[in-house]
Amino acid sequence: MAAAAPRITSWVFTLCVCLTLAPFVCGNTEGDALYTLRKSLSDPDNVLQSWDPTLVNPCTWFHVTCNQDNRVTRVDLGNSNLSGHLVPELGKLEHLQYLELYKNNIQGTIPSELGNLKSLISLDLYNNNISGTIPSSLGKLKSLVFLRLNDNRLTGPVPRDLIGISSLKVVDVSNNDLCGTIPTSGPFEHIPLNNFENNPRLEGPELLGLATYDTNCS
């Protein structure tokens, strides 16, 4: 028993240090998530060169903004000549308010895990090469104000889950390949129709009770 005591004491000390310094030393989930994004992207202009996973947190990285608690609140990589794809790990940035990845050449799909970003205010993925559908999980983003997905290759309907986001002020999904009808209730009452234009398979505004919203989606 006497021999075990030092090991127990050492373990308790390590646990206390972790609890005291977290998230700086013992848990760098946000840094790991962003580094996973870096590895999934091609970066010919080296805009992500400062994203060093050996640092205690990502708050010193260029294009990353943190709050006073060293939690990531903004990632701004717009117009950065990036290609590659988004990663599900982005959903771990639970304090993120602004995800700015517009005007790149990002491909692949929008991860459904982005629906976990409960603090998100702005999701700007416009002017990329993103395909697949708009995840219905984005309807969980109850703080979302700006959703700009225009000028991509998105397919499928506009998720009706978005109707429940009362904070939503701007939705732009123009210049994609969406189908079905355009929502007209909730925040969509005030979204101009030209924010849906140039989707060849997208029907006009839905007539409640008279048309199913997935019309022309087969």
Side-chain angles (χ1 to χ4, degrees), residues 103-132:
K103 293 186 179 179
N104 286 292
N105 189 32
I106 295 172
Q107 301 171 329
T109 61
I110 300 174
S112 61
E113 287 81 1
L114 295 191
N116 297 329
L117 303 176
K118 301 298 178 61
S119 301
L120 200 65
I121 294 171
S122 179
L123 178 58
D124 283 325
L125 303 177
Y126 61 89
N127 281 105
N128 277 288
N129 201 23
I130 299 172
S131 57

Side-chain angles (χ1 to χ4, degrees), residues 31-53:
D32 291 344
L34 289 175
Y35 189 64
T36 301
L37 176 64
R38 176 188 173 178
K39 290 189 296 183
S40 76
L41 296 174
S42 175
D43 177 24
D45 296 340
N46 290 319
V47 297
L48 303 177
Q49 190 171 16
S50 66
W51 289 29
D52 182 353

Side-chain angles (χ1 to χ4, degrees), residues 9 28 70 78 83 100 104 119 124 139 144 148 161 191 193 210:
T9 302
N28 193 11
N70 288 291
S83 59
E100 309 295 329
N104 286 292
S119 301
D124 283 325
L144 196 65
R148 288 175 280 230
D161 306 75
I191 305 296
L193 286 178
L210 296 179

Side-chain angles (χ1 to χ4, degrees), residues 143-154:
S143 298
L144 196 65
V145 179
F146 305 100
L147 177 62
R148 288 175 280 230
L149 306 176
N150 50 290
D151 295 275
N152 280 289
R153 296 192 299 117
L154 294 168

Side-chain angles (χ1 to χ4, degrees), residues 6-198:
R7 291 197 296 270
I8 295 173
T9 302
S10 175
W11 180 84
V12 171
F13 174 78
T14 301
L15 177 62
C16 289
V17 169
C18 284
L19 292 175
T20 302
L21 298 181
F24 307 108
V25 175
C26 300
N28 193 11
T29 303
E30 296 184 332
D32 291 344
L34 289 175
Y35 189 64
T36 301
L37 176 64
R38 176 188 173 178
K39 290 189 296 183
S40 76
L41 296 174
S42 175
D43 177 24
D45 296 340
N46 290 319
V47 297
L48 303 177
Q49 190 171 16
S50 66
W51 289 29
D52 182 353
T54 65
L55 300 178
V56 294
N57 64 58
C59 297
T60 58
W61 298 358
F62 292 149
H63 311 289
V64 174
T65 303
C66 293
N67 62 17
Q68 60 184 5
D69 298 319
N70 288 291
R71 306 305 294 269
V72 175
T73 58
R74 187 184 188 105
V75 175
D76 196 340
L77 292 168
N79 200 22
S80 296
N81 197 26
L82 300 171
S83 59
H85 62 274
L86 304 178
V87 294
E89 285 79 2
L90 286 172
K92 297 178 180 178
L93 304 174
E94 59 183 27
H95 295 270
L96 190 67
Q97 296 178 333
Y98 298 90
L99 182 56
E100 309 295 329
L101 290 165
Y102 55 88
K103 293 186 179 179
N104 286 292
N105 189 32
I106 295 172
Q107 301 171 329
T109 61
I110 300 174
S112 61
E113 287 81 1
L114 295 191
N116 297 329
L117 303 176
K118 301 298 178 61
S119 301
L120 200 65
I121 294 171
S122 179
L123 178 58
D124 283 325
L125 303 177
Y126 61 89
N127 281 105
N128 277 288
N129 201 23
I130 299 172
S131 57
T133 60
I134 302 172
S136 60
S137 61
L138 298 186
K140 297 189 294 182
L141 303 178
K142 301 305 183 184
S143 298
L144 196 65
V145 179
F146 305 100
L147 177 62
R148 288 175 280 230
L149 306 176
N150 50 290
D151 295 275
N152 280 289
R153 296 192 299 117
L154 294 168
T155 57
V158 179
R160 269 23 186 199
D161 306 75
L162 300 176
I163 291 173
I165 306 178
S166 59
S167 57
L168 202 54
K169 302 297 182 188
V170 175
V171 177
D172 194 340
V173 293
S174 58
N175 299 297
N176 280 287
D177 190 26
L178 300 177
C179 59
T181 55
I182 300 171
T184 56
S185 57
F188 288 90
E189 292 181 18
H190 308 291
I191 305 296
L193 286 178
N194 59 7
N195 286 17
F196 300 91
E197 65 185 7
N198 295 326

